[in-house]
Amino acid sequence: MTRFLLLALVAVLAAVPAAAFAAANAAALLGTWVQDDMGPVLTYRRVYRFNRDGTYEFLFTVRNTGSTAQRVLVRERGRYALRGDVLVITPQLGQVRWQRGVARSFPWRVERDRAGGDLRLVLVLPDGILDVFYRP
């Protein structure tokens, strides 16, 4: 009986740091993340907004470099979930023609940029390329 109680206590204590770690990661993800790709002619902007209620919004726009007028290429809304170090994004049906509600998942992390110290959201794409977003 004592051995069982000791094992149960160890299991509970091990789960507390994991739960706290997961909650801290979830809190770090919340809010708006932006990626700008500025070229000589066009500037592309991708924005993710992760909300407390488990919903997200994604906006992909393009504008002529030097202009403020932008055109929306993709507007997507849906739900997200965190499964350890994997971010699962599920668009609402009908939001994206090529996805149609199919979930996408990415290993992810929030970290400090080594060069400037800014917070950045790093998504690892299926081909291993890092997709990096910053706070606006």
Side-chain angles (χ1 to χ4, degrees):
M1 179 69 158
T2 304
R3 182 181 292 174
F4 175 75
L5 290 174
L6 183 59
L7 288 174
L9 180 61
V10 168
V12 168
L13 291 176
V16 170
F21 179 75
N25 277 344
L29 180 66
L30 294 176
T32 302
W33 298 92
V34 177
Q35 179 189 87
D36 285 323
D37 183 10
M38 292 192 261
V41 178
L42 296 174
T43 296
Y44 294 95
R45 173 171 267 208
R46 296 170 54 218
V47 179
Y48 272 108
R49 179 173 303 127
F50 295 98
N51 304 308
R52 269 187 210 290
D53 65 358
T55 62
Y56 78 94
E57 298 172 58
F58 174 75
L59 187 63
F60 183 21
T61 60
V62 63
R63 65 180 170 80
N64 288 328
T65 301
S67 172
T68 58
Q70 60 185 1
R71 185 168 42 116
V72 174
L73 300 175
V74 176
R75 182 183 309 266
E76 174 183 295
R77 291 188 176 116
R79 301 206 52 85
Y80 74 92
L82 299 175
R83 297 196 175 104
D85 66 346
V86 175
L87 170 64
V88 180
I89 294 174
T90 306
Q92 291 174 353
L93 289 175
Q95 287 287 308
V96 181
R97 288 183 208 152
W98 64 87
Q99 291 294 327
R100 300 243 184 239
V102 174
R104 303 184 305 270
S105 59
F106 311 96
W108 74 283
R109 65 185 178 270
V110 172
E111 64 187 19
R112 291 262 175 217
D113 184 80
R114 292 180 188 158
D118 295 330
L119 275 180
R120 67 185 199 165
L121 168 63
V122 179
L123 303 177
V124 182
L125 301 179
D127 58 6
I129 293 176
L130 302 182
D131 203 8
V132 180
F133 295 80
Y134 290 88
R135 294 282 188 196

